[in-house]
Amino acid sequence: MTLARDTDSLESERLILRRITWSDLDYFAYIHADPDVARYIGAGHPRPRGETERWLGDILASYATSNLGQLAVVRKDDGAVIGRCGLSDAAIAQTYDDGAMRKGWFFSAQVPDGIPVNLLPELGYTFGRASWGQGYASEAAGCVFNYARISLPFRDIMSVIHADNRASLAVAQKFGVTFTDQVELAGRPFDRYHWPMDQTTP
Ligand SMILES: CC(C)(COP(=O)(O)OP(=O)(O)OC[C@H]1O[C@@H](n2cnc3c(N)ncnc32)[C@H](O)[C@@H]1OP(=O)(O)O)[C@@H](O)C(=O)NCCC(=O)NCCS
């Protein structure tokens, strides 16, 4: 799981990462509605509140069913939630038509019936614009990656990053990710990266 069942939170120098709850809905609805935040996540459009509400329901379900899910990132200084980071319950189709990209889904529950998939945790991060550029995403991603390598049973973690999302790639590259292929998620192509599980974080 992003957090083992007996663990309530992760901690880094400036951040606490804890499970998301319904009380976080206002914050995530606010940042998901920001076009600059939404541009490179999912389908890329600012999300109406109802969509974030469904997303939050999927997160809570994946805590329970697959032991995965994004975590709320809380700044220690003032206790404010500033973003999210964690391992999503993602699925990648095992087969694809000639010339087409493999399809993927951020939640395995969304895979249409009859499609064989590989289930892979996806390390992702999204922060409110007010907190960009201060190293928070790198710190949170490092915290989750370190914890996953040391305490979780995964041999493989991926990230899917839109090819134009240079800030996100800059974060992932700090940890030595390597490009593997492209996948289609939410109807558009994303680059897929593999996290080196045998490497220490910077
Ligand atoms: C991607 C995101 C999480 C980064 O958050 P952040 O807190 O600003 O990240 P950090 O400060 O830890 O690091 C960002 C790095 O990207 C670099 N960067 C930022 N914008 C950049 C750009 N346009 N081109 C190249 N590099 C860029 C920064 O210089 C920094 O690298 P550095 O530490 O070597 O200077 C944030 O921009 C975000 O929430 N975006 C919207 C949601 C999103 O796209 N999530 C990722 C989905 S894959």
Side-chain angles (χ1 to χ4, degrees), residues 38-113:
R39 182 163 298 121
Y40 300 125
I41 58 175
H45 59 70
R47 296 184 194 176
R49 186 181 174 89
E51 203 174 312
T52 293
E53 208 166 332
R54 283 193 296 282
W55 168 86
L56 207 152
D58 284 342
I59 294 282
L60 300 190
S62 67
Y63 287 162
T65 56
S66 63
N67 292 337
L68 286 164
Q70 293 260 307
L71 302 171
V73 178
V74 178
R75 186 165 51 204
K76 284 184 192 172
D77 262 4
D78 58 0
V81 176
I82 58 168
R84 57 183 171 88
C85 180
L87 297 168
S88 294
D89 161 32
I92 304 290
Q94 286 174 4
T95 55
Y96 52 97
D97 299 330
D98 274 353
M101 255 176 237
R102 268 179 219 282
K103 282 198 162 61
W105 296 266
F106 281 109
F107 295 98
S108 60
Q110 293 173 356
V111 179
D113 285 346

Side-chain angles (χ1 to χ4, degrees), residues 26-195:
D26 284 352
Y27 179 75
F28 289 115
Y30 166 71
I31 67 167
H32 289 167
D34 179 340
D36 288 332
V37 170
R39 182 163 298 121
Y40 300 125
I41 58 175
H45 59 70
R47 296 184 194 176
R49 186 181 174 89
E51 203 174 312
T52 293
E53 208 166 332
R54 283 193 296 282
W55 168 86
L56 207 152
D58 284 342
I59 294 282
L60 300 190
S62 67
Y63 287 162
T65 56
S66 63
N67 292 337
L68 286 164
Q70 293 260 307
L71 302 171
V73 178
V74 178
R75 186 165 51 204
K76 284 184 192 172
D77 262 4
D78 58 0
V81 176
I82 58 168
R84 57 183 171 88
C85 180
L87 297 168
S88 294
D89 161 32
I92 304 290
Q94 286 174 4
T95 55
Y96 52 97
D97 299 330
D98 274 353
M101 255 176 237
R102 268 179 219 282
K103 282 198 162 61
W105 296 266
F106 281 109
F107 295 98
S108 60
Q110 293 173 356
V111 179
D113 285 346
I115 299 189
V117 292
N118 292 324
L119 302 177
L120 277 178
E122 197 261 346
L123 203 163
Y125 30 79
T126 287
F127 285 73
R129 216 159 10 124
S131 62
W132 289 3
Q134 298 166 63
Y136 290 131
S138 302
E139 186 172 328
C143 184
V144 167
F145 180 43
N146 231 1
Y147 179 72
R149 280 189 314 106
I150 293 165
S151 311
L152 302 177
F154 308 121
R155 293 187 318 279
D156 208 359
I157 290 178
M158 65 172 180
S159 282
V160 286
I161 299 177
H162 191 280
D164 297 333
N165 196 350
R166 290 187 294 163
S168 177
L169 184 57
V171 170
Q173 282 179 328
K174 292 179 187 179
F175 303 96
V177 296
T178 48
F179 174 82
T180 52
D181 57 4
Q182 285 196 306
V183 292
E184 185 194 309
L185 282 135
R188 57 184 186 152
F190 284 81
D191 292 341
R192 187 152 71 118
Y193 292 87
H194 168 79
W195 288 70

